[in-house]
Amino acid sequence: MLHILFFLSLLFYASNGAVQDFCVADLTAPEGPAGYSCKKPAKVTVDDFVFSLGTVGNTSNIIKAAVTPAFATQFPGVNGLGISMARLDLAPDGVVPMHTHPGATEVLIVAQGTICTGFISSANSVYLATLKQGDIMVYPRGLLHFQINSGKTPALAFVSFSSANPGLQILDFALFANNLPSALVEKTTFLDDAQVKKLKAVLGGSG
Amino acid sequence: MLHILFFLSLLFYASNGAVQDFCVADLTAPEGPAGYSCKKPAKVTVDDFVFSLGTVGNTSNIIKAAVTPAFATQFPGVNGLGISMARLDLAPDGVVPMHTHPGATEVLIVAQGTICTGFISSANSVYLATLKQGDIMVYPRGLLHFQINSGKTPALAFVSFSSANPGLQILDFALFANNLPSALVEKTTFLDDAQVKKLKAVLGGSG
Amino acid sequence: MLHILFFLSLLFYASNGAVQDFCVADLTAPEGPAGYSCKKPAKVTVDDFVFSLGTVGNTSNIIKAAVTPAFATQFPGVNGLGISMARLDLAPDGVVPMHTHPGATEVLIVAQGTICTGFISSANSVYLATLKQGDIMVYPRGLLHFQINSGKTPALAFVSFSSANPGLQILDFALFANNLPSALVEKTTFLDDAQVKKLKAVLGGSG
Amino acid sequence: MLHILFFLSLLFYASNGAVQDFCVADLTAPEGPAGYSCKKPAKVTVDDFVFSLGTVGNTSNIIKAAVTPAFATQFPGVNGLGISMARLDLAPDGVVPMHTHPGATEVLIVAQGTICTGFISSANSVYLATLKQGDIMVYPRGLLHFQINSGKTPALAFVSFSSANPGLQILDFALFANNLPSALVEKTTFLDDAQVKKLKAVLGGSG
Amino acid sequence: MLHILFFLSLLFYASNGAVQDFCVADLTAPEGPAGYSCKKPAKVTVDDFVFSLGTVGNTSNIIKAAVTPAFATQFPGVNGLGISMARLDLAPDGVVPMHTHPGATEVLIVAQGTICTGFISSANSVYLATLKQGDIMVYPRGLLHFQINSGKTPALAFVSFSSANPGLQILDFALFANNLPSALVEKTTFLDDAQVKKLKAVLGGSG
Amino acid sequence: MLHILFFLSLLFYASNGAVQDFCVADLTAPEGPAGYSCKKPAKVTVDDFVFSLGTVGNTSNIIKAAVTPAFATQFPGVNGLGISMARLDLAPDGVVPMHTHPGATEVLIVAQGTICTGFISSANSVYLATLKQGDIMVYPRGLLHFQINSGKTPALAFVSFSSANPGLQILDFALFANNLPSALVEKTTFLDDAQVKKLKAVLGGSG
């Protein structure tokens, strides 16, 4: 039995040299370029590695859609591990408007319904598809893409990202929902002044 | 109109300098450490970026489970993009046996049923959970983990990986389904000779 | 003297084990996720590492601007080295329209003139600045940004990227200069039909 | 002499802009996904970069083997540099049991004695070798492998890892030396109940 | 209008999950292997992303040259983004002596004058060029290189690096401007004792 | 038995989706920025993963030292895995002259004898140590360093690198053993003309 204790103590010595296979986010400590600081291993529990995307998002809004993220901020277990998820709910006629993820590739899987989706490449090619339950699509990192419920029933999709913090830049928000002056929007997008002002009014932008 | 053509030609010149946002796998060309060679952009179509995981896997087997991968080999659009997926079907009492993905973190989402699952860390802590529909769990890179259908109905899950080629090392296959000599298995696992030979017989191993 | 030859032969043996500090792009060989294949070291010359951005771009176009890239495709020496450059010429009133680089951070330095520029973050904050000669600005990876000549003389800037192949997605091209159907553009951007069709006509888009 | 001082002051200005070629681990500050925080450069000494693996490990244990790590936790100079080492002592008949390093490739060099070793790939191929003094072997990242002293004298090996914190998951510990319930071990490994309970008893596992 | 507020609140919820597209350096918080800690997003302003390299460096020194860095320490906006810049001023006959950047590839663009420059590869090939205004050259990571003003007027160049903290090791400083004992310098470089002592005296080295 | 065959066929299907845990170098196929192309898995044998550094290097040369590399070119199994090794033999008074590895951190372990060694940082600090058997030292990426046998008996060390292709730039070779013109060497190093010409003659340089 003595030998066994030696076995345990000696090899655990080695094992303890590598306590960190993961770095569960400690949102109260400094954040660095690679992500949040790590919680002390002794404080980590299975709850850090489990999250629920089981609640239907509220689609009673103008886009009839909801995005529920499970990024490192919400789901601390993925911090530093190069992956995260989100849930997409689309009521009939719902749309996730044109957007990009500045730091990640996305893969989408349709769990319910039918989704018309696509992305546009740097070479300006359009890749469009209509996805049914069980279909997956990949959107390469940083490219404009969108999802539309093209069926008559609610659609549900789950998306995964190649980053624990993929970012999300919604085109209409970037152009019309902040204080970027209308003159600059018009100059850099060739949109008409009336169009810009109309969408600024709808989305709460100023300037 | 002349100006517009200038606009197009000049800026597309810049744009063409960056034709590759992606590197769709060309399985017939050389493979390198970062993945497969890229298909010529002109030959890429939307079909390269879409794949179906919509077919129920055949669970009429000893483990009552099936894994359907959408890695770069099956789903060429993810090549080089640091992400991939797979589908898990588990009949009642089905199990995806203890395994690792040598090169990737995994995130699982339960689409149907109830799954008992867990992983073991380098520090030898066990993180166990029972997941219901909509729950997600992350398994940090390279650690032993498993999934069991703990409900009475078929379970379905989709898993995402932080690599286009995550690898899959099933423990029982590594120990009992190849020509690794029984003496070496026993010496390095402390399993009894009878146990090793029994499982080698079941799984088709020799030696 | 014999010893010296030994010195040379033995240590060069080691040195030759590491012939590749670089991977000059061979545009005729397969491309992979990490970049182009490498030219044979014996065929590499200093010309592979030198490129001219000394020619003023032609700004006689609708945007009164020109972008001249020195990405791996044009400048093979940067292949695999995680950096590249481009030249920006902006006539008075010229504009580089709203765009992103899906795979790279950009740093710009003003060589001549005055440039009004900015980017929008994922959190929808706007970062705007007017840059004079010698000023530099960084645009984090994947975010929408633009440059406008806000002076009365031609402006010249040089930009560097954190990738040998940064990509370039010009917003107006992605929305209006390809075959993405107008209905989808409208649905995913909330732009009016007349606006979309007007810009599609200007930029040569169909659908 | 004035010029020389200028020389020093001006160029050191540049040099001081890049004080950190390394990030010696400060074990008292927050840890992040990329490793430990850095000690202040002024407090770094050569002792941070030097470590001794010169002491023979205590092999008076059940496996007749000892692993002495020089990971970032023990050897702070390697923090953030993507490399670390360990020492392996194997008495005659000693064994480093089946294990993986979740986050690193390993290269082993035999300093004394004879070592029988091998790894198993994802494709379930077995790569076995008997190594003599001066032989090296590489074990790709995350795959199961082992080392056995197959000679009649003590064996000594040094191993290097492609990470400052490679992790170490010993199969028997993961299965039998924690509180993972026997029923789950059996269900996910197909091992017999008696076998599992026997090894749990030996290795101190519960459940 | 209610719907619009829903739209904003729901989607910003998603957006806020990804507040950090950047990690502006907080020089007062812990530094890690991936760079400085991040300033709180709310404290970030456009000034963090803008820096001036517009001031001519003081070349009244022995090398008739000046290097003005815009690395993460000076220019906090580039922290974690894999890119940085510097300004080179070279009076006639000025020289940036033989040096390396341990952690980055460099690209140089000539803004004024004529620069004779080159690098030496691991395979001991010399790549030499004389650059005029608008010419760019890439120096692969970690290799010895230099710049000389080979014209009759002041030269100005801007350099970009593939790291926010590229490092700078000036050969003469490493050999002659510290306390590395002369005997070790001579033994490891084959330089004569008189030569070493002469340069140590000039550059302020001891030992 | 039928069930078992199903088990094998179904799960191997998954397993075969991930055939490549490694990328053994095929020296006859194109090389890319991430390394050599991969040998077909079916042609890979254990010999690809094993290499001998067991032969004493020939130290009958001017530096009384020999370096025997096991980089990807010599040892194809490490290709793409971010690690490699080399053997250092130093006769009494032998020296591995001042050098850098442009692309890798190095860790050295002394197997026999006594080695005086050190490196110089970007901040121009000198880190010097005398290592005995079993001592290890880390040399951060890209910094000048050297090794000297400071004992009376032959010294042997093994070094590991954080890259499969670390590069090796020997300072004297870069300055004196190629066609870099003496005038440029002198201008960029402040060495005297006589010193430069003397070493060019010894080392076979021209110009």
Side-chain angles (χ1 to χ4, degrees):
Chain A
M1 195 61 186
L2 188 63
H3 282 185
I4 291 166
L5 293 183
F6 266 119
F7 176 42
L8 288 171
S9 64
L10 285 173
L11 271 170
F12 263 114
Y13 173 57
S15 190
N16 284 340
V19 287
Q20 294 276 55
D21 308 299
F22 39 71
C23 174
V24 173
D26 176 354
L27 301 187
T28 68
E31 189 176 354
Y36 292 103
S37 290
C38 317
K39 280 179 75 168
K40 298 281 181 197
K43 295 196 171 176
V44 171
T45 72
V46 69
D47 292 341
D48 292 308
F49 301 111
V50 174
F51 190 78
S52 172
L53 288 176
T55 304
V56 180
N58 184 342
T59 59
S60 301
N61 52 49
I62 198 176
I63 56 168
K64 299 179 183 164
V67 178
T68 310
F71 300 168
T73 307
Q74 294 84 30
F75 183 24
V78 295
N79 186 50
L81 293 178
I83 197 163
S84 61
M85 288 194 72
R87 173 192 177 108
L88 260 52
D89 287 285
L90 293 139
D93 210 36
V95 58
V96 181
M98 197 68 81
H99 65 285
T100 62
H101 304 286
T105 289
E106 173 181 341
V107 179
L108 174 147
I109 182 155
V110 178
Q112 290 173 21
T114 306
I115 291 178
C116 166
T117 181
F119 70 87
I120 303 121
S121 73
S122 279
N124 212 21
S125 294
V126 178
Y127 298 93
L128 277 184
T130 297
L131 307 179
K132 299 184 307 269
Q133 191 178 328
D135 287 346
I136 65 177
M137 182 162 185
V138 60
Y139 310 90
R141 180 177 61 158
L143 298 177
L144 284 164
H145 62 286
F146 63 90
Q147 288 97 11
I148 296 172
N149 183 343
S150 56
K152 310 212 165 194
T153 57
L156 169 63
F158 295 103
V159 290
S160 304
F161 299 97
S162 65
S163 166
N165 193 16
L168 168 57
Q169 180 159 59
I170 300 167
L171 177 57
D172 269 43
F173 278 34
L175 297 181
F176 308 121
N178 51 38
N179 63 348
L180 182 62
S182 295
L184 289 180
V185 176
E186 293 159 25
K187 179 84 176 173
T188 60
T189 63
F190 306 103
L191 294 174
D192 293 337
D193 180 62
Q195 177 72 87
V196 170
K197 294 209 164 121
K198 176 178 171 187
L199 284 167
K200 284 225 168 213
V202 170
L203 291 167
S206 61
Chain B
M1 194 61 188
L2 190 61
H3 282 185
I4 292 166
L5 292 183
F6 267 119
F7 177 42
L8 287 171
S9 63
L10 285 173
L11 271 170
F12 264 115
Y13 173 56
S15 189
N16 285 340
V19 287
Q20 293 276 54
D21 308 300
F22 40 71
C23 175
V24 173
D26 176 353
L27 302 186
T28 67
E31 190 176 353
Y36 291 103
S37 290
C38 317
K39 280 179 76 168
K40 298 281 180 196
K43 295 197 170 175
V44 171
T45 72
V46 70
D47 293 340
D48 292 308
F49 301 110
V50 175
F51 190 77
S52 172
L53 288 176
T55 304
V56 180
N58 185 341
T59 58
S60 301
N61 52 50
I62 199 175
I63 57 167
K64 299 179 183 164
V67 179
T68 310
F71 301 168
T73 307
Q74 294 85 29
F75 182 24
V78 294
N79 187 48
L81 293 177
I83 198 163
S84 61
M85 287 194 74
R87 173 192 177 108
L88 260 53
D89 287 285
L90 293 139
D93 209 36
V95 58
V96 180
M98 196 68 81
H99 65 285
T100 64
H101 304 286
T105 289
E106 172 181 340
V107 179
L108 173 146
I109 181 155
V110 178
Q112 290 172 21
T114 305
I115 291 179
C116 166
T117 180
F119 70 87
I120 303 120
S121 73
S122 278
N124 213 21
S125 295
V126 179
Y127 298 93
L128 278 184
T130 297
L131 309 178
K132 300 184 306 268
Q133 190 178 328
D135 288 346
I136 65 177
M137 182 161 185
V138 58
Y139 310 91
R141 179 177 64 158
L143 298 177
L144 285 164
H145 62 287
F146 63 90
Q147 287 97 10
I148 297 172
N149 183 343
S150 56
K152 310 211 165 194
T153 56
L156 169 63
F158 295 103
V159 290
S160 303
F161 299 98
S162 65
S163 165
N165 193 15
L168 170 56
Q169 180 160 60
I170 300 166
L171 177 58
D172 270 42
F173 277 34
L175 298 181
F176 308 121
N178 52 36
N179 61 349
L180 182 61
S182 296
L184 289 180
V185 176
E186 294 159 24
K187 178 86 177 173
T188 61
T189 63
F190 305 103
L191 294 174
D192 293 335
D193 180 63
Q195 176 74 85
V196 171
K197 293 207 164 124
K198 177 178 170 188
L199 284 168
K200 283 226 168 214
V202 171
L203 291 167
S206 60
Chain C
M1 194 60 187
L2 189 61
H3 282 183
I4 293 167
L5 293 183
F6 266 120
F7 177 42
L8 289 171
S9 63
L10 286 172
L11 271 170
F12 263 114
Y13 173 57
S15 188
N16 284 341
V19 287
Q20 293 277 54
D21 308 299
F22 39 73
C23 175
V24 173
D26 176 354
L27 303 185
T28 67
E31 191 176 354
Y36 292 103
S37 291
C38 317
K39 279 179 75 169
K40 297 282 182 196
K43 294 197 172 176
V44 171
T45 72
V46 69
D47 293 342
D48 292 309
F49 301 111
V50 175
F51 190 76
S52 173
L53 289 176
T55 303
V56 180
N58 186 341
T59 58
S60 300
N61 52 50
I62 199 174
I63 56 166
K64 299 178 183 166
V67 179
T68 311
F71 300 168
T73 308
Q74 295 84 30
F75 183 24
V78 295
N79 185 52
L81 293 178
I83 197 163
S84 62
M85 288 194 74
R87 173 193 177 109
L88 260 53
D89 287 285
L90 294 141
D93 210 36
V95 58
V96 181
M98 198 67 82
H99 65 285
T100 63
H101 305 285
T105 290
E106 172 181 341
V107 179
L108 173 146
I109 181 155
V110 178
Q112 289 172 21
T114 305
I115 292 179
C116 167
T117 181
F119 70 89
I120 303 119
S121 73
S122 279
N124 212 20
S125 295
V126 179
Y127 298 93
L128 277 185
T130 298
L131 308 178
K132 299 184 308 270
Q133 191 178 328
D135 287 346
I136 65 178
M137 182 161 183
V138 59
Y139 311 90
R141 183 176 60 158
L143 299 177
L144 283 166
H145 62 287
F146 63 89
Q147 288 98 10
I148 297 173
N149 184 343
S150 57
K152 310 212 166 195
T153 56
L156 170 62
F158 295 103
V159 290
S160 304
F161 300 97
S162 65
S163 164
N165 192 16
L168 169 57
Q169 180 160 60
I170 299 167
L171 176 58
D172 270 43
F173 278 34
L175 297 181
F176 308 121
N178 51 38
N179 61 348
L180 182 62
S182 296
L184 288 180
V185 176
E186 293 158 26
K187 179 86 176 172
T188 60
T189 63
F190 306 104
L191 294 173
D192 293 336
D193 180 61
Q195 177 72 87
V196 170
K197 292 204 165 127
K198 178 178 171 186
L199 284 168
K200 283 226 169 212
V202 172
L203 292 167
S206 60
Chain D
M1 193 61 186
L2 190 61
H3 282 184
I4 293 167
L5 293 183
F6 267 119
F7 176 41
L8 289 170
S9 63
L10 285 172
L11 272 169
F12 264 114
Y13 174 56
S15 188
N16 284 341
V19 287
Q20 293 276 54
D21 308 300
F22 39 73
C23 175
V24 173
D26 176 355
L27 302 185
T28 69
E31 190 176 354
Y36 292 103
S37 290
C38 316
K39 280 177 76 168
K40 297 282 180 196
K43 293 197 172 176
V44 171
T45 71
V46 69
D47 292 342
D48 292 309
F49 301 110
V50 175
F51 190 77
S52 174
L53 288 176
T55 303
V56 180
N58 185 342
T59 58
S60 299
N61 53 48
I62 199 175
I63 57 166
K64 299 179 183 165
V67 179
T68 311
F71 300 168
T73 307
Q74 296 84 29
F75 183 25
V78 296
N79 186 50
L81 293 177
I83 197 163
S84 62
M85 288 194 72
R87 173 191 178 110
L88 260 53
D89 288 284
L90 294 141
D93 210 36
V95 57
V96 180
M98 197 68 82
H99 66 285
T100 63
H101 305 286
T105 290
E106 171 181 342
V107 179
L108 173 147
I109 181 156
V110 179
Q112 290 172 23
T114 305
I115 291 178
C116 168
T117 181
F119 71 87
I120 303 119
S121 73
S122 278
N124 212 20
S125 294
V126 179
Y127 298 93
L128 277 184
T130 298
L131 307 178
K132 299 183 308 267
Q133 191 178 327
D135 287 346
I136 65 178
M137 183 161 184
V138 59
Y139 309 91
R141 183 177 61 157
L143 298 178
L144 284 165
H145 62 287
F146 63 89
Q147 289 98 9
I148 297 172
N149 184 343
S150 57
K152 311 212 164 193
T153 56
L156 170 63
F158 296 103
V159 290
S160 304
F161 299 97
S162 66
S163 165
N165 193 16
L168 169 56
Q169 181 160 59
I170 300 168
L171 176 58
D172 270 42
F173 278 34
L175 297 181
F176 308 121
N178 51 37
N179 61 349
L180 181 61
S182 296
L184 289 180
V185 176
E186 292 158 26
K187 179 85 175 172
T188 61
T189 63
F190 306 104
L191 293 174
D192 292 337
D193 180 62
Q195 177 73 87
V196 170
K197 293 205 164 125
K198 176 179 171 187
L199 283 168
K200 283 226 169 213
V202 172
L203 291 167
S206 60
Chain E
M1 193 60 186
L2 189 62
H3 283 184
I4 292 167
L5 292 182
F6 268 120
F7 177 41
L8 288 171
S9 63
L10 285 173
L11 270 170
F12 264 114
Y13 173 56
S15 189
N16 285 340
V19 287
Q20 293 276 54
D21 308 299
F22 38 73
C23 176
V24 173
D26 176 354
L27 302 186
T28 69
E31 190 176 353
Y36 292 102
S37 289
C38 316
K39 280 179 76 168
K40 298 282 181 197
K43 295 197 171 177
V44 171
T45 72
V46 70
D47 293 342
D48 292 308
F49 301 111
V50 174
F51 190 77
S52 173
L53 289 176
T55 303
V56 180
N58 185 342
T59 60
S60 299
N61 53 48
I62 200 176
I63 57 167
K64 299 178 182 165
V67 179
T68 309
F71 300 168
T73 309
Q74 295 83 31
F75 182 25
V78 295
N79 185 51
L81 293 178
I83 197 163
S84 61
M85 287 195 74
R87 174 193 176 108
L88 260 53
D89 287 285
L90 294 140
D93 210 36
V95 58
V96 180
M98 196 70 80
H99 66 285
T100 63
H101 304 286
T105 289
E106 172 182 341
V107 178
L108 174 147
I109 181 156
V110 179
Q112 289 172 23
T114 306
I115 290 178
C116 167
T117 182
F119 71 86
I120 303 119
S121 74
S122 279
N124 212 21
S125 294
V126 179
Y127 298 93
L128 278 184
T130 297
L131 308 178
K132 298 184 308 267
Q133 192 178 327
D135 287 346
I136 65 176
M137 183 161 184
V138 59
Y139 311 91
R141 181 176 62 157
L143 298 177
L144 284 164
H145 61 287
F146 63 90
Q147 288 97 10
I148 296 172
N149 183 343
S150 58
K152 309 212 166 195
T153 57
L156 170 62
F158 295 104
V159 290
S160 303
F161 299 98
S162 65
S163 164
N165 192 14
L168 170 56
Q169 180 160 60
I170 300 167
L171 176 57
D172 270 43
F173 277 35
L175 298 181
F176 307 122
N178 52 36
N179 62 348
L180 182 61
S182 297
L184 289 181
V185 177
E186 294 160 24
K187 179 84 177 173
T188 61
T189 63
F190 307 104
L191 293 174
D192 293 336
D193 179 62
Q195 177 72 87
V196 171
K197 293 202 165 130
K198 177 179 170 186
L199 284 168
K200 283 226 168 210
V202 171
L203 292 167
S206 60
Chain F
M1 193 61 187
L2 190 61
H3 282 184
I4 293 167
L5 292 183
F6 267 119
F7 177 41
L8 288 172
S9 64
L10 284 172
L11 270 170
F12 264 114
Y13 173 56
S15 189
N16 284 340
V19 287
Q20 293 276 53
D21 308 298
F22 40 72
C23 175
V24 173
D26 176 354
L27 303 186
T28 68
E31 190 176 354
Y36 292 102
S37 289
C38 316
K39 281 179 76 169
K40 297 281 181 197
K43 294 197 170 177
V44 171
T45 71
V46 69
D47 293 341
D48 292 308
F49 300 110
V50 175
F51 191 77
S52 173
L53 288 176
T55 303
V56 180
N58 185 341
T59 60
S60 301
N61 52 50
I62 199 175
I63 57 167
K64 298 178 182 164
V67 179
T68 309
F71 300 168
T73 309
Q74 294 85 30
F75 182 25
V78 294
N79 185 51
L81 293 178
I83 197 164
S84 61
M85 288 194 74
R87 173 192 178 111
L88 261 53
D89 288 285
L90 293 141
D93 210 37
V95 58
V96 180
M98 197 68 81
H99 66 285
T100 63
H101 304 286
T105 290
E106 173 182 340
V107 179
L108 174 146
I109 181 156
V110 178
Q112 290 173 22
T114 306
I115 290 178
C116 167
T117 181
F119 70 87
I120 302 119
S121 73
S122 279
N124 212 21
S125 295
V126 179
Y127 298 93
L128 277 185
T130 296
L131 308 178
K132 298 183 309 266
Q133 191 178 328
D135 287 347
I136 65 176
M137 182 162 184
V138 59
Y139 310 91
R141 181 177 63 156
L143 298 177
L144 284 165
H145 62 286
F146 63 89
Q147 288 98 10
I148 296 172
N149 183 342
S150 57
K152 310 212 166 195
T153 56
L156 170 62
F158 295 103
V159 290
S160 303
F161 299 97
S162 65
S163 164
N165 192 16
L168 169 57
Q169 180 160 59
I170 300 167
L171 177 57
D172 270 43
F173 278 34
L175 297 181
F176 308 122
N178 52 37
N179 62 347
L180 181 62
S182 296
L184 288 180
V185 177
E186 294 159 24
K187 180 84 177 173
T188 60
T189 63
F190 307 105
L191 294 174
D192 293 336
D193 180 62
Q195 178 72 87
V196 171
K197 293 206 165 126
K198 178 178 169 186
L199 283 168
K200 283 228 168 209
V202 171
L203 292 167
S206 61

